[in-house]
């Protein structure tokens, strides 16, 4: 085998090795990128499920507090004021307005808490979804 034939053979070997290496690196990068995308999708689904369950828990808690407040106010009103004043009194209207204001403030607190949780979740997701690759 002459030197020129050996040179040509080695050129083919090196070109084949470079193509094989480029293909291997490309497949590795594609599998890495798809794995990261899948993890991001799973994290987003988990965050949405947690947010939904948190919202349900908060709603149940607010409903229980509303019922407790209404029962306490109605008991106090019926025990103290109702025997002395008729059913259409301005005092009952004021107490009812106060209960509605308390319920509305509880709802606003719930909305603020859920909004804050969503903002934190969205911030976490935007931080983790970036992929940087340097070669």
């Amino acid at each position: 085998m002459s030197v020129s034939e050996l040179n040509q053979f080695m050129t083919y070997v090196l070109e084949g090795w470079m193509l094989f290496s480029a293909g291997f690196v490309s497949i590795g990068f594609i599998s890495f990128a798809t794995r990261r995308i899948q993890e991001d999708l799973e994290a987003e689904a988990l965050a949405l499920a947690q947010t939904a369950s948190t919202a349900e828990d908060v709603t149940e808690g607010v409903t229980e507090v509303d019922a407790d407040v209404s029962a306490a106010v109605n008991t106090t009103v019926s025990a103290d004021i109702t025997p002395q004043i008729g059913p259409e009194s301005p005092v009952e209207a004021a107490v009812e307005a106060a209960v509605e204001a308390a319920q509305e403030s509880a709802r606003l607190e719930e909305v603020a808490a859920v909004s804050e949780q969503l903002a934190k979740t969205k911030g976490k997701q935007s931080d983790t979804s970036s992929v940087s690759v340097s070669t």
Side-chain angles (χ1 to χ4, degrees), residues 24-35:
F24 184 76
V25 169
S26 298
I27 289 171
F29 176 75
I30 290 171
S31 66
F32 170 77
T34 54
R35 186 173 54 245

Side-chain angles (χ1 to χ4, degrees), residues 5 76 99-100 113 127:
E5 291 173 343
T76 305
V99 169
E100 289 176 4
D127 291 343

Side-chain angles (χ1 to χ4, degrees), residues 39-116:
E39 289 172 356
D40 288 345
L41 291 174
E42 290 172 359
E44 183 178 350
L46 180 64
L48 288 174
Q50 287 176 345
T51 303
S53 67
T54 303
E56 289 174 8
D57 293 343
V58 169
T59 304
E60 290 173 4
V62 168
T63 305
E64 291 172 4
V65 169
D66 289 344
D68 292 344
V69 168
S70 296
V73 169
N74 289 338
T75 303
T76 305
V77 169
S78 63
D80 297 339
I81 298 174
T82 305
Q84 300 169 0
I85 300 174
E88 298 294 326
S89 70
V91 174
E92 286 183 0
V95 169
E96 196 171 306
V99 169
E100 289 176 4
Q103 290 173 346
E104 185 64 24
S105 67
R107 285 188 193 103
L108 289 175
E109 289 176 5
E110 172 191 352
V111 168
V114 170
S115 297
E116 185 177 327

